[in-house]
Amino acid sequence: MQLKQATQFDDHDVLIDAYMATHSDAEPDWLAAIARETHVRTINPRMLSGHFAGRILKMLVRMARPQRVLEIGTFTGYSALCLAEGLPDGGHVDTIEIDDELEDFIRENFRQSPYNERITLHIGDALTLIPQLEGTFDFVFIDADKRAYRDYYELVLPKVPSGGFIVADNTLWDGKVLMPNPPTGDHQTIEIKKFNDFIAHDERIEKVILPLRDGLTLMMKK
């Protein structure tokens, strides 16, 4: 009975996800092509933002109207392109990816999109690169090593002006954040829980977690 119930809930979630996607803006063909190639050419395509999350990112940028966006964690470039798609005229995205083996694939995806000129790709460790980036960022999207979320946050917060936004992905982490005592070797779950607990009490920002896909935390600097 328990297995049957779990399957029913899983099926329900899949159907709800499909319903939300089909009742949101359509995925552009060039983004769908990136999604297909990501599933063919990478070993962990689940890291891709995908149609629904991509439309959310575009809408958030449309609403915030930032001139400069910073993304931490490019993967194959899908989310960076969604961020760039939502920018007002003159806006620009800087995106950081640590895996240099993905660089050619990312640049290929950018070139085949309408928004290549709006994006600068940085290859390397974000913890090293962020302090080297000049100026401020009106919108920051964090979707990289979950063990370093707190470090990323502390590095970018001084670069975000009052009224600017930080968005962190995967903050519900497949529901593992509800585990009172994660296994000692599950460092990603442990650090996501620590990050969420810290953010909940940080008075420098306003914040809310949205239960979208794997959890999306929206933060606005006071």
Side-chain angles (χ1 to χ4, degrees), residues 75 96-104 106 122-125:
F75 191 40
I96 301 173
E97 174 55 46
I98 196 170
D99 187 353
D100 59 359
E101 293 186 356
L102 288 172
E103 181 174 2
D104 290 344
I106 295 168
H122 306 267
I123 298 294
D125 187 343

Side-chain angles (χ1 to χ4, degrees), residues 12-219:
H12 178 266
D13 290 343
V14 170
L15 291 172
I16 287 292
D17 287 348
Y19 183 89
M20 290 189 298
T22 56
H23 289 77
S24 301
D25 282 347
E27 182 181 43
D29 290 342
W30 49 273
L31 280 176
I34 292 173
R36 287 192 298 271
E37 284 300 304
T38 298
H39 279 78
V40 170
R41 297 170 59 174
T42 68
I43 61 173
N44 196 3
R46 188 173 182 269
M47 292 170 58
L48 186 82
S49 294
H51 174 195
F52 182 62
R55 296 305 88 195
I56 292 171
L57 291 176
K58 177 191 173 184
M59 182 66 75
L60 290 175
V61 172
R62 283 270 195 242
M63 295 166 66
R65 297 189 61 79
Q67 281 298 308
R68 294 193 72 199
V69 173
L70 174 62
E71 178 186 51
I72 305 171
T74 316
F75 191 40
T76 60
Y78 188 105
S79 53
L81 286 165
C82 293
L83 296 166
E85 188 183 2
L87 285 174
D89 290 343
H92 197 79
V93 175
D94 286 88
T95 183
I96 301 173
E97 174 55 46
I98 196 170
D99 187 353
D100 59 359
E101 293 186 356
L102 288 172
E103 181 174 2
D104 290 344
F105 187 24
I106 295 168
R107 294 193 185 279
E108 175 187 336
N109 290 335
F110 288 169
R111 284 192 298 269
Q112 293 179 0
S113 80
Y115 302 107
N116 184 39
E117 300 304 318
R118 293 185 179 184
I119 305 174
T120 299
L121 174 64
H122 306 267
I123 298 294
D125 187 343
L127 299 177
T128 301
L129 292 175
I130 291 171
Q132 300 174 17
L133 298 175
E134 298 181 355
T136 60
F137 294 91
D138 312 298
F139 190 104
V140 177
F141 180 50
I142 302 174
D143 186 17
D145 184 357
K146 313 310 167 192
R147 297 167 295 185
Y149 265 32
R150 171 77 182 275
D151 295 327
Y152 299 145
Y153 172 77
E154 294 290 6
L155 283 174
V156 301
L157 190 63
K159 294 180 176 290
V160 175
S162 177
F165 293 89
I166 301 173
V167 178
D169 201 9
N170 305 118
T171 49
L172 294 180
W173 202 232
D174 284 334
K176 293 181 181 180
V177 292
L178 297 179
M179 299 170 65
N181 297 296
T184 55
D186 189 355
H187 300 293
Q188 298 196 77
T189 299
I190 291 168
E191 294 303 324
I192 283 288
K193 284 172 62 69
K194 287 182 179 178
F195 173 76
N196 288 344
D197 290 343
F198 175 80
I199 291 298
H201 298 95
D202 191 346
E203 296 298 326
R204 296 172 291 178
I205 56 169
E206 297 180 23
K207 80 288 294 185
V208 61
I209 297 181
L210 302 179
L212 298 171
R213 292 192 67 203
D214 202 20
L216 199 67
T217 299
L218 308 185
M219 296 161 268

